Amino acid sequence: MAYRESLGLPGDPDGENLHRAPSFSLLPPSLEVPRAEAGPEVHRFRVPAAAGSAPLRDWWANDDAPLVYATFGTVAAGVPFAAAAFRTVVEALAELPVRVLVTVGDSGDPSTWSALPPNVHVERWVPQQDVLVHAAAMVCHGGTGTVLGGLAAGVPMVVVPQFADQPDNAERVAAVSAGIGVGDGGSGAGHGRGAAGRRDPRAQRAVLPEGSGCDGRGDRRPASGRRGGQLLGETHGC
């Protein structure tokens, strides 16, 4: 309030002006929580897509099983309770007949994942757009950047939220049929590990849709993947 007054503006101790001011948003309208009443104007924009994608290295010796991309981003993957949940997620995926690419972020160490089977490959970081063009599904923490990448690529998501905006993003991904949310997120190791339940049948169906021999591209994607691409086709104002 003192800063506002120093600029000659009236005080606003409750921050009400923030709710009345126009805003900018990267989100398509349907990914936001519906408003009960009209609010201030929202200007929507997109970050320009990268030009093309680089070929994905063949870490699986010509295996043509569906590719599942598993990531908890660059921040959550380094938080102890979220890292424990992420390891549980990856161990569950390793049991499925899929190729799994795991990225652990700059703070992660791929060498600590050496006990996993050969269908799982771990890297610190791979450009997301290079992976998603090949992916049949993505299992993630629900960070906004990761979710928008999944929507842009039309890849169905299994969201295992941990903290911050992630539970809300998981709820909206499920609400618009772009994927499912598993667990409620939490701020402790026990809750985070529980959210990553090893045998949730909804998650397995999302990763391996019935009759799937798909490679994650074209109309062979599950409906949730096609829906994700449609959402980012909504009108955006810049």
Side-chain angles (χ1 to χ4, degrees):
M1 187 168 67
Y3 181 65
R4 289 180 57 85
E5 293 174 347
S6 73
L7 298 175
L9 299 172
D12 184 23
D14 297 322
E16 289 299 320
N17 282 309
L18 291 175
H19 301 288
R20 294 193 291 265
S23 61
F24 291 90
S25 177
L26 276 166
L27 301 179
S30 58
L31 200 63
E32 295 183 344
V33 177
R35 294 178 176 180
E37 57 186 39
E41 185 176 8
V42 178
H43 301 274
R44 302 187 186 278
F45 67 100
R46 295 187 192 182
V47 174
S53 59
L56 191 64
R57 290 181 58 185
D58 183 10
W59 288 294
W60 301 274
N62 296 314
D63 187 349
D64 62 356
L67 174 64
V68 176
Y69 177 43
T71 177
F72 267 24
T74 56
V75 176
V79 176
F81 73 82
F86 188 40
R87 188 172 286 271
T88 302
V89 166
V90 173
E91 289 171 352
L93 288 172
E95 299 175 3
L96 301 176
V98 296
R99 294 173 295 150
V100 182
L101 177 59
V102 179
T103 56
V104 295
D106 291 340
S107 63
D109 182 359
S111 68
T112 64
W113 295 71
S114 57
L116 292 169
N119 66 316
V120 179
H121 181 78
V122 182
E123 290 282 324
R124 275 198 170 88
W125 184 81
V126 177
Q128 183 168 269
Q129 70 272 12
D130 293 351
V131 181
L132 290 178
V133 71
H134 301 285
M138 175 168 64
V139 182
C140 68
H141 60 312
T144 297
T146 303
V147 167
L148 288 174
L151 291 175
V155 174
M157 289 173 273
V158 178
V159 183
V160 188
Q162 299 300 307
F163 52 78
D165 59 342
Q166 298 161 19
D168 291 334
N169 289 341
E171 182 178 314
R172 295 309 301 160
V173 164
V176 299
S177 301
I180 64 169
V182 179
D184 300 320
S187 57
H191 199 152
R193 186 176 290 273
R198 291 177 63 86
R199 296 288 184 182
D200 191 312
R202 298 172 303 148
Q204 182 159 323
R205 284 195 296 269
V207 172
L208 287 177
E210 184 176 358
S212 172
C214 74
D215 60 2
R217 290 168 286 186
D219 287 338
R220 290 184 292 171
R221 292 172 300 180
S224 55
R226 297 194 296 274
R227 175 61 178 148
Q230 293 164 2
L231 291 177
L232 284 188
E234 295 172 351
T235 301
H236 283 57
C238 295

Tab-separated table of all heavy atoms in Angstrom, residues 16 19-20 32-42 44:
chain	number	residue	atom	x	y	z
A	16	GLU	N	-7.876	-5.516	-4.031
A	16	GLU	CA	-9.048	-5.654	-4.887
A	16	GLU	C	-8.782	-5.209	-6.322
A	16	GLU	O	-9.397	-5.712	-7.262
A	16	GLU	CB	-10.213	-4.839	-4.302
A	16	GLU	CG	-10.791	-5.428	-3.023
A	16	GLU	CD	-11.344	-6.820	-3.248
A	16	GLU	OE1	-11.971	-7.049	-4.301
A	16	GLU	OE2	-11.124	-7.691	-2.379
A	19	HIS	N	-8.074	-7.862	-8.929
A	19	HIS	CA	-9.197	-8.629	-9.475
A	19	HIS	C	-9.998	-7.846	-10.504
A	19	HIS	O	-10.857	-8.401	-11.181
A	19	HIS	CB	-10.117	-9.086	-8.337
A	19	HIS	CG	-9.436	-9.939	-7.323
A	19	HIS	ND1	-9.055	-11.237	-7.579
A	19	HIS	CD2	-9.041	-9.672	-6.054
A	19	HIS	CE1	-8.455	-11.740	-6.511
A	19	HIS	NE2	-8.433	-10.819	-5.569
A	20	ARG	N	-9.720	-6.547	-10.600
A	20	ARG	CA	-10.452	-5.719	-11.557
A	20	ARG	C	-9.613	-5.347	-12.776
A	20	ARG	O	-10.141	-4.829	-13.762
A	20	ARG	CB	-10.930	-4.436	-10.863
A	20	ARG	CG	-11.974	-4.670	-9.782
A	20	ARG	CD	-12.636	-3.364	-9.367
A	20	ARG	NE	-11.719	-2.490	-8.655
A	20	ARG	CZ	-11.622	-2.435	-7.326
A	20	ARG	NH1	-12.374	-3.222	-6.582
A	20	ARG	NH2	-10.776	-1.605	-6.748
A	32	GLU	N	-9.095	-22.879	-17.988
A	32	GLU	CA	-9.248	-22.109	-16.768
A	32	GLU	C	-10.534	-22.506	-16.055
A	32	GLU	O	-11.482	-23.004	-16.669
A	32	GLU	CB	-9.256	-20.612	-17.086
A	32	GLU	CG	-7.933	-20.119	-17.644
A	32	GLU	CD	-7.927	-18.620	-17.892
A	32	GLU	OE1	-9.022	-18.018	-17.929
A	32	GLU	OE2	-6.827	-18.062	-18.062
A	33	VAL	N	-10.569	-22.302	-14.747
A	33	VAL	CA	-11.780	-22.581	-13.978
A	33	VAL	C	-12.879	-21.627	-14.453
A	33	VAL	O	-12.662	-20.413	-14.505
A	33	VAL	CB	-11.531	-22.393	-12.471
A	33	VAL	CG1	-12.812	-22.601	-11.676
A	33	VAL	CG2	-10.445	-23.353	-11.999
A	34	PRO	N	-14.058	-22.149	-14.825
A	34	PRO	CA	-15.126	-21.261	-15.302
A	34	PRO	C	-15.497	-20.216	-14.250
A	34	PRO	O	-15.566	-20.510	-13.060
A	34	PRO	CB	-16.286	-22.229	-15.567
A	34	PRO	CG	-15.638	-23.560	-15.769
A	34	PRO	CD	-14.437	-23.565	-14.870
A	35	ARG	N	-15.733	-19.022	-14.703
A	35	ARG	CA	-16.110	-17.935	-13.794
A	35	ARG	C	-17.615	-17.943	-13.558
A	35	ARG	O	-18.400	-18.199	-14.471
A	35	ARG	CB	-15.705	-16.589	-14.375
A	35	ARG	CG	-14.199	-16.393	-14.491
A	35	ARG	CD	-13.908	-15.038	-15.116
A	35	ARG	NE	-12.480	-14.757	-15.164
A	35	ARG	CZ	-11.964	-13.646	-15.662
A	35	ARG	NH1	-12.761	-12.724	-16.159
A	35	ARG	NH2	-10.658	-13.464	-15.667
A	36	ALA	N	-18.014	-17.606	-12.339
A	36	ALA	CA	-19.438	-17.500	-12.036
A	36	ALA	C	-20.041	-16.252	-12.673
A	36	ALA	O	-21.235	-16.203	-12.969
A	36	ALA	CB	-19.648	-17.480	-10.528
A	37	GLU	N	-19.215	-15.239	-12.877
A	37	GLU	CA	-19.678	-14.010	-13.505
A	37	GLU	C	-18.542	-13.413	-14.316
A	37	GLU	O	-17.377	-13.759	-14.136
A	37	GLU	CB	-20.147	-13.014	-12.450
A	37	GLU	CG	-19.103	-12.669	-11.414
A	37	GLU	CD	-19.661	-11.798	-10.312
A	37	GLU	OE1	-20.819	-12.025	-9.903
A	37	GLU	OE2	-18.937	-10.884	-9.857
A	38	ALA	N	-18.898	-12.546	-15.243
A	38	ALA	CA	-17.890	-11.946	-16.114
A	38	ALA	C	-16.886	-11.152	-15.286
A	38	ALA	O	-17.233	-10.476	-14.325
A	38	ALA	CB	-18.563	-11.044	-17.141
A	39	GLY	N	-15.627	-11.263	-15.666
A	39	GLY	CA	-14.566	-10.538	-14.978
A	39	GLY	C	-13.882	-9.572	-15.906
A	39	GLY	O	-14.373	-9.289	-17.010
A	40	PRO	N	-12.740	-9.053	-15.511
A	40	PRO	CA	-12.009	-8.116	-16.366
A	40	PRO	C	-11.504	-8.805	-17.633
A	40	PRO	O	-11.432	-10.039	-17.703
A	40	PRO	CB	-10.852	-7.657	-15.481
A	40	PRO	CG	-10.699	-8.735	-14.465
A	40	PRO	CD	-12.074	-9.278	-14.223
A	41	GLU	N	-11.153	-8.027	-18.599
A	41	GLU	CA	-10.724	-8.542	-19.895
A	41	GLU	C	-9.429	-9.336	-19.755
A	41	GLU	O	-8.523	-8.969	-19.012
A	41	GLU	CB	-10.509	-7.389	-20.865
A	41	GLU	CG	-10.181	-7.827	-22.284
A	41	GLU	CD	-10.072	-6.655	-23.233
A	41	GLU	OE1	-10.099	-5.496	-22.759
A	41	GLU	OE2	-9.958	-6.892	-24.447
A	42	VAL	N	-9.369	-10.478	-20.494
A	42	VAL	CA	-8.177	-11.310	-20.523
A	42	VAL	C	-7.635	-11.312	-21.948
A	42	VAL	O	-8.354	-11.648	-22.893
A	42	VAL	CB	-8.474	-12.758	-20.078
A	42	VAL	CG1	-7.210	-13.610	-20.167
A	42	VAL	CG2	-9.029	-12.784	-18.654
A	44	ARG	N	-5.231	-13.124	-24.441
A	44	ARG	CA	-4.592	-14.441	-24.540
A	44	ARG	C	-3.529	-14.427	-25.631
A	44	ARG	O	-3.701	-13.800	-26.674
A	44	ARG	CB	-5.632	-15.527	-24.795
A	44	ARG	CG	-6.687	-15.568	-23.691
A	44	ARG	CD	-7.649	-16.720	-23.799
A	44	ARG	NE	-8.682	-16.583	-22.779
A	44	ARG	CZ	-8.545	-16.952	-21.518
A	44	ARG	NH1	-7.416	-17.539	-21.128
A	44	ARG	NH2	-9.519	-16.767	-20.647
